Amino acid sequence: MMASSYSAKEEDGHHSGSAGLGGAAIRTRKPDNTAFKQQRLPAWQPILTAGTVLPAFFIIGLIFIPIGIGLYVTSNNIKEFEIDYTGTDMSSPCFNCSQSFSWNSTTPCKCVLFFSLDQPFESNVFMYYGLSNFYQNHRRYVKSRDDSQLNGDQRSLKEPSKECEPYRTNENKPIAPCGAIANSMFNDTLDLFYIDPNGTKTQILLIKKGIAWWTDKHVKFRNPGGSNPNLTAAFIETAKPVNWHKPVYELDIDSENNGFINEDFIVWMRTAALPTFRKLYRIIQKKNNMTPTLPRGSYSLEVTYNYPVRSFEGRKRMILSTISWMGGKNPFLGIAYITVGSICFFLGVVLLFIHHKYGNRNNSSDVPN
Amino acid sequence: QQRQKLKKCGGDEKRVDSRTIYVGHRPCPDTEAFIPSKFCDNRIVSSKYTVWNFLPKNLFEQFRRIANFYFLIIFLVQVIVDTPTSPVTSGLPLFFVITVTAIKQGYEDWLRHKADNEVNKYPVTVLEDGRSVKKESEKIKVGDVVEVVEDETFPCDLILLQSSREDGTCFVTTASLDGESNHKTHYTVPDTEKDLQALPATIECEQPQPDLYKFVGRMHIYKPEQEPAVRSLGPENLLLKGATLKNTKKIYGVAVYTGMETKMALNYQGKSQKRSAVEKSINAFLLVYLCILISKAVVCTTLKYVWQSKEGQDEPWYNQKTQKEKDTNMYLKMFTDFLSFMVLFNFIIPVSMYVTVEMQKFLGSFFITWDKDFFDPEIQEGALVNTSDLNEELGQVEYVFTDKTGTLTQNNMEFIECCIDGFQYKHRDTRSELDGFTVTDGPVNKLQQKAGQEKEELFLRALCLCHTVQVKEAGSEVLADQVDGIDGLLLPQPEEERGFIASSPDEIALVRGAMEYGFTFLGLESKSMKIKNRENNIEEYKLLHVLNFDPVRRRMSVIVQTKSGETLLFCKGADSSIFPRVRPEEVDRIRMHVERNATEGYRTLCVAYKQLSAEEYAVADTGLREARLALQDREQKLMAMYNQVETGMSLIGATAVEDRLQEEAAETMEALQGAGMKVWVLTGDKMETAKSTCYACRLFQRGTELLELTVRTLEDGRLKREEKLLELLRDYHRRAVQDAPPVKAGVTRSWSTANQDYGFIIDGATLSLVMNPPREADASQYRSLFLQICQNCTAVLCCRMAPLQKAQIVKMVKNSKGSPITLSIGDGANDVSMILEAHVGIGIKGKEGRQAVRNSDYAIPKLKHLKKLLLAHGHLYYVRIAHLVQYFFYKNLCFILPQFLYQFFCGYSQQPLYDAAYLTMYNICFTSMPILAYSLLEQHISMEILLDNAALYREIANNAMLRWRPFLYWTVLGIFQGLLFFFGVRFLFSNPALQDNGQVFGNWSYGTIVFTVLVFTVTLKLALDTRHWTWINHFVIWGSLAFYVFFSFFWGGIIWPFLKQQRLYFVFANMLSSVSAWLVIIILILLSLLPEILLVVLRKPRGPHSRQVYLFLPFPF
C-alpha cells in the first residue's frame, strides 16, 4: 500500500522535470553494493543442537539444585509463628470483642491471647498482621486515594481527588487522608508480653520505625505545610476519615511518625496484591548476642480490638517471623529451583542417551538423500 | 450534426459521446451559432487533500480500516464508561498510529501538490488572436492552439496541426507515460492551412477515455464557398500530455483534452488492491482472538455477579460504592462491566501489529529494489516494486503462468531462413558464396534448386515493403541513445550503416533479412517507400494504405503503388491467419516448411500478395477511408474492411525468425518446478514453436508424455468436435489423474523417475470450447476434467491464446479447489490482463514497452531473476511475516492472560495487573523493535542454500506457517507461559515479605514482577528463534531489554506531577533489591523457554539438508 502510493508520486514528478534525457536515464543507478542492502550483513548463526543444549542442561541442573537446596534450607530455618485472633469461635478470647463490635463505642474492647513459642527466635523478629478475604486489590478500593494529597499538596488537601468518593468529604469538610484505603486503615493495637516461667509479664519493645519503604516515608508521603511541626494547624479545616477514631495528626506523638508520614499508615496504603495478605506491623530488635530476641516460653498478645472483619468473613492474624536474605518464610522458591534443576538434569541425561543412541543413525540415514 | 452540451469537469458524460472543439475558439461559418462549450481547465490535481479537508478526510479514510475502527471504539468506551485503564492506554497507541499514517500521507500529498503546481504553473505559449501569449499551463482551455518546442512535454492532449518538420511529422517519446523510450512518429492533420491564425475548423472527437492508444476524431475544415473538408483523426494525430517532443523544432497543436480529462490523468486511477493470503490468515486469527476476548469478558462478568451475590462481598464496609454506582441500573451495570472487561483485555488484539506488518512490508520491499543481482547492466535498471503488499505471496506461489515471447525468449529476433515458393533459403554468415545465398536441401527440397528469380524478388520486395519500420536518421544524436527497438546494423559498406526503429522486433529482423539478400529498405519519405534492389537501383513505391497489425487478425498488410502504376497488396502474418486467405494449392508447399521451422522453435510468418485492379482498389480505398472516419465502432468497421481486402491472395513464401531463449531460462524453469510450482506457458504463438521452446526450457523433457488437446487432435472424421473433446478429456484424465500414483510432497521431479511425467498442450480454440461448450450443461464437467488433468501435469502449454484467454485461464486456476496462489509473468501489453488477474503479477522490463511493468506488482529485468525473487526473497519474506504474525498473537496472549487470571484474585473488579505505562508501552516500545528487526533481517536459511535447493520452497507451501496447527502451537505456548508467569509469582506472593528488611510488596510489585518476566521471556523467545544474528538484531534485542530496565527505573524514579497516582514509585528499584524477586524472575524465564529449547533439540533436522536446514515449523508435516 505504501509503496504503491510512493511510485504514483514518482510518476507525478515525472512530467514536470527531466525534460532532457527523460526519466529513464535518471533511474539507471545501480543498487549500492553494501552488506545491508544486499542482506549480507555478517551474522552469527547459532543452531541449537543437542550438542550445545546438553551441556547447558547439565549446567543449569548443577547450578539450580544447590541454589534450590540453599533456598529450601534457608526458608526452613526461618522461624514463623502465626496466631489467629479473629474471634469467630466461642472459645476464642476475642469472641466477645468481635461480636460486640460497634463503630460508635468509645471504650476499646480488649482481649488477650496466650501462646507459647517452642523454639527461640534468635535474630530480629518481625511482627506482621495478616488479613484474609480482604480485597485490598479491588479496583474501586485501589484507586480510592489521592497521592498528591498524601504528598503534602495543599490544594489536594482542601480539594481531594474525585477518586476518593465516597470518602472524599464529610460534613462539607475535605477528608484527610481521603479515600477508601485510608479510611479502612488497620487500627487494632497489638502488644506483646513475655511471661516468665515465674509468671511475671514483661512487655516486649516493639519498634514501629523501618516498617515502610524508605522512599515512601521520605518522598512519596509528606505532611502538608512542609516541616512545620504543628500538624494540627496544617490539617485544620479537614475532617478525619469517617471510620477513624483519631484525626491523622494524632496518629503518633512522635512528630517524625505523625500525619501522613506515619509508618503504619504508609504500610497500609501500599495495597496488597492478593486478598489474603500480611503487612509489617512492628520490629523486635535483637538486644544482644547472648539472649535470643524471643526466647522459648509463654507469651501473651494483648489486642485492642478495633477492626471488624466478621461482616465480610475475614480473618485476622498476628505473625511473628524472622527474616533471611530471601525475605520471609516461603518454601516455594526452593522447591521450584530443586524441581527445575532436577528436570534439567534429567532431561540432560535423557537427551544424552537419545543423542548417543539415535544421533549417529540419524546422520547416516541422511546420506542416501 | 453537432451536439453540444454543458459538461462538467469529469462529470458523467456518458450521454454525450463526442465533443466539438473550435480550433482557436473561432466560430465557424457553417455552424448555427458559436456556443463556447465548457470543458474543465488544464489543472492537474493528483493530490487527494487540501489544507482544509485534510484532517476530516484523512481521519475518515483511516477509520474506515477495521482495525483502527476497533481501537477507536475501545477508546471511546474508555472515555465514556468508567473503565479500569485510562483512555490514554489505548488512545496513545491509536493516536500514534493515526498520526504517523497521517503525516506520511500528508507528506506524500504535499509532494503531489508540489508536483501538481510545477506542472500547472509551467509556462506555455498559446496562439491568441494572432499573437503568441505566454501563459501558465493550467490556463490552457480546450480549443487553444498551443506551441511546443523540442524537448518540452505537452501540457495537455493536443491534435497536431503543424510541425516544423517538412513532412508533417513529429517525434515523440512517451517514456513517462508507458516507459517506451523509442520515438514514435505522429502526423499532422493532412492538408491543414499553413496559417493557423485563421484556420476555421472544428474537431469532433470522442469523450475522454483512458486508453492511451485509442483515439477517434474528425476534423472539419471550412473553406469559403466549399464543402467543409473532413479529415479523420486517429491516435497518430494525438499528442498526449506527458509525452515529450523530440527531434522536432516546434509544433502547433490544438488542445482537445485538458487537465483531469487528459489520457494521462485518466490513467492515474489506482489498480484494484490485491490481498495476500497472509492477510487472510491474520483476519482468521483475529477472529479467534476476538472470540477469546469476548469469552474472557463474558466469563469474568458472569463470575463477578456470582461472586457479588454472596453477602458482604459486593460492598464491604471498607469499600463502599459511591451514590452514583448504587443508583445505576443493574443491567446497565452488567453491560458496562462487560465493556470494562473488554477494555481490560483488549490488548490481546494488538493495534501495533498492523503498524508493524505495514512497516515490515514497506521497508522489506526495499530489499528487492536494492538487490544488485536484479540489476541488469543492459538496461541499467534493477527490480521495481509497485506494491509491497504482496512480498510474502512470493513465497507461496503454486502456479506460474508465463508468457513465451520476451519472457522465456529474448524477443531478440534473428532472421534465420526463408522459404520462397517452396524452396528453402538459408543464409549463412560465410560471405564467400555468391550473393550471400546458399541453398540447402530441405527434407523435401529438390537439391540446388531455386525459385524463379521473379518470385524471389517479389518475396524480398514484400519483406521490404510490408512493415511499419522507420529508418533511423543518420547524424541524429538524440536517436542514438535510444535503447528500445533500435538495431544498429553494421554492413560492410560504411554508408549503408543504418538503424531501424519499429514497434516489433520481428519486423526489424525481416527487413534486415531482406537486406542480407540484397534488398535494402531506404526509408519512407512523404508516402513513398524507397528500396534499393540487388542491382543497386532505387525503386520507389507509393504507400497507399497500411492495414495495421493487431493480435486478433494476426497479420498486417500494406497497399502500395509501383512506378508502373500497379497496385499491390502485401500481407504478412501467422500461418493460421494467412492460409485460409490464399489459394489452397499453394499452401501445401509452404506448410511443410512452416511446420518444420516451428518445431525448431522459430517464429514463422507467411507472406502473401495480391494485385489489385483499379476498381478493386477504388472499392478498398473508399471502404478504408470511410471506416477510418467513422466515429462509432471504428474498430469493428476497420476490421471488417481489412478482412474484406485481405482475401484471395497468393502465397509467396514464409520466413523463420529465431527468438533466442532468455539467459538461464531452462535453469529458472527447472528451479521453479523443483520448488513445486506448476509452470504453465501461455502464449499467442504457434503450438510447434511454443512446444519447442518448452523443450528448450526443459519444461517438457524427453520422458514427458504429452497430452495434446488441440484443433488437430480434435479433427476426427467419426465424431463431432465436442464428442471427441470429451472423449479425449476422459482419456487424459484416466491417464494423468486416476492411474497416476498420488503425488508425494517433498519429492522433487528428479527423484520421481518412476512416475510418469505428463505435459499438457491445449490451444486457444479448444480452450474456448472447454470453457464455453455449446451445451451449457457440460461446462462444469469439462472444466473440472480439464483442471484435474492440468493439475496433475508438470507443465502445461497453452498456445494460440488471446490476451483475454490468458486471464481466463489464470482466473480458472485461481478459483479452483484450494484456491492456489498464482503468479503471472510477462513483458508485453498482451500479458497485462493475466498480470492483473493473478495473485502476483510480475512484469519483465523487456522490449515490448512498459505496459506490463506498469501494471505489475513487481518488475524484474530478466526472467532469470524470477528464481531469486521467489526462492530467496519470497521464501524469506513469507517466513518473516508468518513468524511476525504468530509472534504478535503469542506475545499479546501471554501479556493479557495474567491480567485475566488476576481477576479471579481481585473480586472480578477489573483491576489491571500492570501499570498503565506498561500496558501502553508493551507493544509500542518494549517488544516491537526486536520483532521488526527479525522480520526484516531474518535468514533462517541463507540465500545461497535457498537458491541451491529449490525443494526448500515446498516446506512453506500452502501457507504452512500460518495454518491452524502452528497457530495452535503458538497459542498453547502463550497460554502455558501466561499461566506460568501468573502462578509463579502468585506462589511467591503467598508470603509478600520478600525483602531482607521484612517489608512487604504490594499489588504493583506483583504486576511489575510478572511484567518483567514477560518482557524478558518474549524477547528471549524471539532471540531463540533468530537464526541470523546481525549487529542490528543484537542491538535491538539487548537494547529493548536495556530500555525496559532503564524506563522502569526512570518511570518509578520520579513523582510525576501529571499522574493521579504514583503507583510505580520505586517499585522497580525495590523489586530489584529483593533476591527472591530476582530468583523468581530467572526461574520463570528459564522454565518458560525450556519447552521451546527442548522441542528444538528433539525435533532433529530431517530430510536431505539436515546440516544447514533448521526446520522452523513447530510440527513439520
Side-chain angles (χ1 to χ4, degrees), chain A residues 1 15 20 31 33 38-40 44 128 135 139 147 163 167 212-213 271 273 326 328-330 337 366, chain B residues 119 246 318 320 370 372 389 880 902 910 939 944 988 991 993 998-999 1003 1029 1062 1070 1076 1079 1106:
Chain A
M1 189 188 118
H15 42 77
N33 190 10
Q38 301 306 321
Q39 305 196 61
R40 287 184 198 287
W44 172 53
Y128 297 89
Y135 281 86
R139 182 162 73 93
D147 274 345
E163 305 281 0
Y167 305 98
W213 289 12
T271 48
M326 57 167 283
K329 191 183 184 87
N330 192 353
Y337 265 79
D366 290 338
Chain B
V119 176
K246 290 281 179 189
Y318 57 84
Q320 301 282 317
W370 283 338
K372 72 173 163 49
D389 280 347
R880 289 166 182 174
Y902 193 57
Q910 301 124 27
Q939 293 176 39
E944 289 76 32
L988 184 76
N991 183 352
Q999 292 170 358
N1003 64 326
W1029 285 80
Q1062 313 294 335
N1070 265 306
S1076 292
L1079 289 172
S1106 61

Side-chain angles (χ1 to χ4, degrees), chain B residues 732-756:
Chain B
Y732 292 159
H733 184 262
R734 187 167 38 72
R735 277 155 69 182
V737 182
Q738 290 161 359
D739 293 353
V743 184
K744 236 174 77 186
V747 187
T748 53
R749 223 176 70 172
S750 52
W751 305 338
S752 60
T753 36
N755 282 359
Q756 177 63 48

Side-chain angles (χ1 to χ4, degrees), chain B residues 438-695:
Chain B
T438 31
V439 181
T440 55
D441 45 339
V444 287
N445 254 6
K446 292 155 243 167
L447 279 168
Q448 297 296 330
Q449 276 193 334
K450 283 190 190 178
Q453 171 100 12
E454 202 181 317
K455 283 264 170 105
E456 211 177 281
E457 293 195 347
L458 179 68
F459 177 80
L460 293 172
R461 283 195 185 99
L463 288 190
C464 277
L465 294 172
C466 183
H467 56 71
T468 54
V469 174
Q470 295 159 27
V471 176
K472 186 181 86 173
E473 281 175 34
S476 160
E477 282 172 58
V478 190
L479 277 165
D481 67 307
Q482 299 306 322
V483 191
D484 266 5
I486 279 221
D487 242 304
L489 181 76
L490 288 162
L491 282 189
Q493 303 98 318
E495 73 272 14
E496 294 270 333
E497 187 181 321
R498 56 184 66 240
F500 298 109
I501 309 169
S503 51
S504 141
D506 291 70
E507 295 204 314
I508 295 174
L510 291 180
V511 173
R512 280 174 53 197
M515 217 149 118
E516 307 262 356
Y517 293 119
F519 276 76
T520 312
F521 174 60
L522 293 176
L524 172 71
E525 263 167 49
S526 53
K527 295 269 169 199
S528 82
M529 295 173 108
K530 282 187 189 151
I531 295 177
K532 191 163 77 180
N533 63 14
R534 284 194 200 152
E535 287 79 43
N536 274 336
N537 297 328
I538 309 268
E539 298 174 14
E540 254 187 63
Y541 296 87
K542 192 168 177 229
L543 180 62
L544 300 171
H545 281 286
V546 176
L547 285 61
N548 275 323
F549 177 84
D550 66 69
V552 182
R553 244 165 79 240
R554 303 172 58 81
R555 60 179 180 269
M556 71 151 302
S557 312
V558 290
I559 301 175
V560 293
Q561 197 174 31
T562 58
K563 267 269 151 68
S564 50
E566 280 178 293
T567 313
L568 294 171
L569 175 135
F570 291 108
C571 177
K572 70 168 197 279
D575 50 9
S576 62
S577 68
I578 298 280
F579 286 166
R581 302 180 166 270
V582 298
R583 281 187 282 279
E585 66 270 16
E586 294 166 337
V587 171
D588 290 335
R589 279 183 294 172
I590 306 274
R591 190 200 289 273
M592 213 150 11
H593 285 274
V594 171
E595 281 176 6
R596 187 176 48 82
N597 283 335
T599 354
E600 280 163 22
Y602 300 141
R603 295 160 71 87
T604 57
L605 284 176
C606 292
V607 182
Y609 94 108
K610 153 170 154 182
Q611 193 158 5
L612 294 168
S613 65
E615 302 86 68
E616 274 176 318
Y617 174 68
V619 172
D621 185 48
T622 31
L624 287 169
R625 271 176 209 280
E626 264 171 27
R628 281 210 184 111
L629 283 181
L631 271 187
Q632 270 139 25
D633 303 329
R634 183 184 281 182
E635 302 285 319
Q636 283 94 320
K637 282 179 188 158
L638 270 177
M639 195 71 72
M641 202 56 223
Y642 287 166
N643 284 337
Q644 193 187 321
V645 174
E646 290 163 338
T647 43
M649 302 177 288
S650 51
L651 191 62
I652 40 178
T655 57
V657 169
E658 191 189 12
D659 191 359
R660 287 225 197 88
L661 280 189
Q662 286 274 9
E663 300 163 55
E664 295 174 35
E667 289 86 338
T668 308
M669 289 301 129
E670 215 166 27
L672 295 187
Q673 289 198 328
M677 286 174 242
K678 300 220 168 69
V679 181
W680 294 34
V681 178
L682 310 182
T683 176
D685 223 330
K686 266 181 304 301
M687 189 189 101
E688 288 74 22
T689 321
K691 203 156 95 183
S692 63
T693 311
C694 286
Y695 274 111

Side-chain angles (χ1 to χ4, degrees), chain A residues 1-5 9 11-12 14-16 19-21 27-31 33 36-46 48 50 53 57 60 64 71 80 103 126 128 133-135 137-143 145 147 151 163 165-167 180 184 210-213 215 219-220 243 270-275 278 280 307-308 311-313 323-330 332-333 336-337 340 343-344 347 351 354 362-363 366 369, chain B residues 46 82-84 104 108 111-112 118-119 151 153 176 246 264 268 307 312 314 317-322 325 358 362 367 369-372 375 380-381 386 388-389 481 873 880 902 905-907 909-911 939 943-944 984 986-1003 1005-1006 1024 1027-1030 1032 1034 1060-1062 1065-1067 1070 1075-1076 1079 1082-1083 1086-1087 1090 1093-1094 1096-1098 1100 1103-1104 1106:
Chain A
M1 189 188 118
M2 293 187 175
S4 63
S5 46
K9 182 212 79 204
E11 271 179 82
D12 284 350
H14 244 306
H15 42 77
S16 52
L21 287 163
R27 267 188 280 139
T28 55
R29 256 181 295 116
K30 191 177 166 131
N33 190 10
F36 173 69
K37 290 189 174 181
Q38 301 306 321
Q39 305 196 61
R40 287 184 198 287
L41 281 178
W44 172 53
Q45 287 166 318
L48 284 180
V53 172
F57 273 158
I60 289 171
F64 274 29
L71 282 167
E80 197 176 87
W103 286 110
F126 295 76
Y128 297 89
N133 207 22
F134 189 102
Y135 281 86
N137 58 5
H138 197 279
R139 182 162 73 93
R140 195 167 59 223
Y141 187 82
V142 170
K143 68 175 185 178
R145 63 194 283 161
D147 274 345
N151 198 27
E163 305 281 0
E165 287 290 0
Y167 305 98
S184 58
I211 57 174
W213 289 12
T215 47
V219 188
K220 194 175 168 184
N243 287 354
R270 181 155 294 282
T271 48
L274 298 167
R278 62 173 72 174
L280 189 53
Y307 205 72
S311 61
F312 53 88
E313 289 175 354
I323 286 292
S324 72
W325 48 271
M326 57 167 283
K329 191 183 184 87
N330 192 353
F332 163 70
L333 265 183
Y337 265 79
V340 172
I343 289 175
C344 280
L347 282 176
L351 284 179
I354 292 174
N362 263 3
N363 288 347
D366 290 338
N369 288 327
Chain B
S46 61
D82 166 47
T83 52
K104 192 191 125 243
E108 280 172 1
L111 287 180
R112 273 186 226 122
E118 227 169 288
V119 176
D151 290 337
T153 52
S176 51
K246 290 281 179 189
M264 185 190 76
Y268 273 132
W307 181 78
D314 186 23
W317 66 264
Y318 57 84
N319 192 8
Q320 301 282 317
K321 291 179 184 171
T322 58
E325 280 175 302
E358 211 152 278
F362 176 62
F367 284 120
T369 31
W370 283 338
D371 196 324
K372 72 173 163 49
F375 182 77
Q380 290 285 306
E381 273 181 70
N386 285 331
S388 56
D389 280 347
D481 67 307
H873 284 282
R880 289 166 182 174
Y902 193 57
F905 296 86
C906 70
S909 60
Q910 301 124 27
Q911 170 63 24
Q939 293 176 39
M943 293 242 202
E944 289 76 32
R986 160 76 187 76
F987 286 119
L988 184 76
F989 265 69
S990 53
N991 183 352
L994 292 170
Q995 281 179 289
D996 56 359
N997 56 8
Q999 292 170 358
V1000 293
F1001 280 167
N1003 64 326
S1005 301
Y1006 189 113
L1024 269 183
R1027 296 268 78 88
H1028 189 80
W1029 285 80
T1030 64
I1032 300 172
H1034 280 288
K1060 269 191 281 185
Q1061 295 199 10
Q1062 313 294 335
Y1065 188 68
F1066 264 77
V1067 163
N1070 265 306
V1075 182
S1076 292
L1079 289 172
I1082 290 167
I1083 196 165
L1086 196 98
L1087 203 55
L1090 198 64
I1093 298 171
L1094 210 62
V1096 170
V1097 178
L1098 288 181
K1100 263 196 67 80
S1106 61

Side-chain angles (χ1 to χ4, degrees), chain A residues 231-250:
Chain A
L231 275 183
T232 322
F235 282 104
I236 201 151
E237 289 296 306
T238 61
K240 71 171 174 64
V242 281
N243 287 354
W244 284 23
H245 296 294
K246 299 176 282 191
V248 67
Y249 46 85
E250 286 172 20

